[in-house]
Amino acid sequence: MRPSLPLLLSSLLFAGVANADDLRERASAIFKPVPDKVTEVRGQTVSDDQAMLGHKLWFDPRLSSSHVISCNTCHNLSIGGSDNVPTSIGHGWQKGPRNSPTVLNAVFNAAQFWDGRAKDLQEQAKGPVQASVEMNSTPERVVATLKSIPEYAAEFKKAFPNDKDPVSFDNMAYALEAFEVSLTTPNSPFDRFLKGEDKALDDKQKKGLALFMDVGCIACHNGVNVGGQSYFPFGVIKKPGADILPAGDKGRFTVTNTADDEYVFRAAPLRNIALTPPYFHSGEVWELEQAVAIMGDSQLGRQLNDDEVSAITAFLHSLTGEQPQVAYPTLPASTATTPKPE
């Protein structure tokens, strides 16, 4: 007699937990550990001077027209690289349209933003600075601000010694990218398991890992970042309600204007997911267990039972790695010619 799916999954789970080597071998074909350090972007070595400049710019609110909002406002490095609110608060107390994704390990994503409209972190860095609902500035204002501060002018010259005019909007974005590549979280329990440490995951997490692979989560969530590589409809099998999938946000359609891309979004990277509620692009789900159950129903057409949801959630907690230790920098002072806040 052909075994039922639950019995088949149970036997697979038992085999996976009983033999850590077999489970590791299966997982290693799908996932890769976060590297200890990233030193290149697009084949170009990131210099220490560029990264140190980007570190200061990351925390500098003067990149915004109000002098209130910095990159760290919406991507707070002390709470998982996001801001733990449904949608971020930007210029003039406006609410953004989507949940702020984490910047931790973002260097491993195939593209940036929920709809993938930025091909890399340099391009991404330019978006929030100019968005009226976020930092509400312009390239001209940013360059004028940076050139008005002698310390910044000197640091740009040091970071980009071959440029005739080193203080530029492009170089600002590249410096931010150079800093962001350092925001990785290696040595999570899952990574240590992949590297051979059997006890890095407990039995429940191993069951969750086996389930994560067996029920099909890996179709969207794979690779180094356990996601962030491809685009999928939200609601492959069944669309969630309008509270979770707002009808007005058509996702990647706004980038491609292709009907097939309506309600298509980049698969969320799941590294450090336990640190970054609320979930989904709408930011309407606060509990990780609920998010897992919704994904099972909407993407896989499977009503996960409580034990399955609990085990997969336990596995997702194992994706939390060592958080980057980033000191708050002392920023150079404004001068009389620095544009005033608006």
Side-chain angles (χ1 to χ4, degrees):
M1 179 182 293
R2 186 176 181 180
S4 67
L5 180 59
L7 288 175
L8 178 60
L9 288 174
S10 294
S11 66
L12 288 171
L13 293 177
F14 178 79
V17 174
N19 192 330
D21 287 338
D22 288 347
L23 184 63
R24 182 182 300 108
E25 183 177 356
R26 293 180 60 209
S28 295
I30 300 164
F31 311 104
K32 300 299 177 189
V34 172
D36 289 338
K37 189 175 183 180
V38 179
T39 58
E40 293 185 353
V41 289
R42 299 181 298 282
Q44 185 173 346
T45 301
V46 171
S47 75
D48 290 341
D49 291 328
Q50 291 166 343
M52 287 189 291
L53 173 59
H55 177 201
K56 289 185 177 180
L57 295 173
W58 181 266
F59 288 95
D60 200 325
R62 290 168 295 186
L63 296 184
S64 70
S65 64
S66 64
H67 289 202
V68 170
I69 302 168
S70 71
C71 300
N72 200 63
T73 302
C74 301
H75 301 285
N76 194 319
L77 301 181
S78 66
I79 51 174
S82 61
D83 55 10
N84 296 159
V85 295
T87 59
S88 299
I89 304 299
H91 184 77
W93 296 100
Q94 298 176 87
K95 286 187 177 182
R98 293 175 182 159
N99 181 256
S100 179
T102 180
V103 293
L104 301 183
N105 303 304
V107 66
F108 304 122
N109 293 333
Q112 307 302 323
F113 295 116
W114 282 99
D115 54 19
R117 65 184 181 274
K119 66 180 183 295
D120 52 45
L121 288 169
Q122 182 183 22
E123 186 174 311
Q124 185 276 331
K126 298 176 183 178
V129 174
Q130 299 177 83
S132 60
V133 74
E134 298 183 64
M135 299 171 81
N136 193 43
S137 193
T138 64
E140 295 76 20
R141 181 185 172 91
V142 167
V143 170
T145 297
L146 296 172
K147 284 187 173 182
S148 75
I149 301 171
E151 291 91 335
Y152 267 144
E155 290 187 41
F156 269 88
K157 185 175 182 179
K158 187 177 181 182
F160 302 97
N162 298 323
D163 288 17
K164 291 183 180 179
D165 190 10
V167 183
S168 69
F169 194 62
D170 281 346
N171 284 348
M172 173 220 70
Y174 187 85
L176 285 169
E177 179 180 44
F179 169 65
E180 285 187 74
V181 302
S182 71
L183 303 179
T184 58
T185 60
N187 298 319
S188 69
F190 179 53
D191 286 342
R192 299 202 308 273
F193 175 77
L194 289 177
K195 293 176 181 179
E197 187 180 331
D198 290 350
K199 293 183 179 180
L201 300 185
D202 62 27
D203 285 349
K204 186 175 183 179
Q205 290 171 325
K206 289 173 184 174
K207 289 180 181 179
L209 168 58
L211 264 172
F212 192 85
M213 294 188 289
D214 292 333
V215 302
C217 304
I218 56 174
C220 302
H221 300 284
N222 49 60
V224 173
N225 222 6
V226 196
Q229 301 306 305
S230 300
Y231 307 96
F232 300 92
F234 194 167
V236 172
I237 305 299
K238 183 174 71 177
K239 279 186 167 54
D243 55 334
I244 297 171
L245 183 64
D249 187 348
K250 294 189 176 182
R252 192 156 170 75
F253 172 79
T254 60
V255 178
T256 66
N257 290 313
T258 301
D260 288 346
D261 282 336
E262 287 191 355
Y263 305 107
V264 167
F265 297 88
R266 188 195 63 188
L270 299 183
R271 292 284 182 176
N272 306 288
I273 190 69
L275 304 180
T276 59
Y279 300 111
F280 306 134
H281 67 285
S282 57
E284 290 295 337
V285 174
W286 285 91
E287 299 300 327
L288 188 52
E289 290 85 352
Q290 184 185 359
V292 170
I294 290 170
M295 285 285 96
D297 188 28
S298 298
Q299 302 303 95
L300 304 174
R302 177 181 170 80
Q303 293 286 334
L304 298 170
N305 64 42
D306 290 346
D307 287 343
E308 290 171 328
V309 168
S310 182
I312 290 174
T313 302
F315 162 65
L316 294 178
H317 277 267
S318 80
L319 299 176
T320 301
E322 295 177 355
Q323 302 299 289
Q325 300 300 300
V326 181
Y328 208 101
T330 299
L331 303 178
S334 298
T335 67
T337 59
T338 301
K340 299 297 185 290
E342 296 179 356

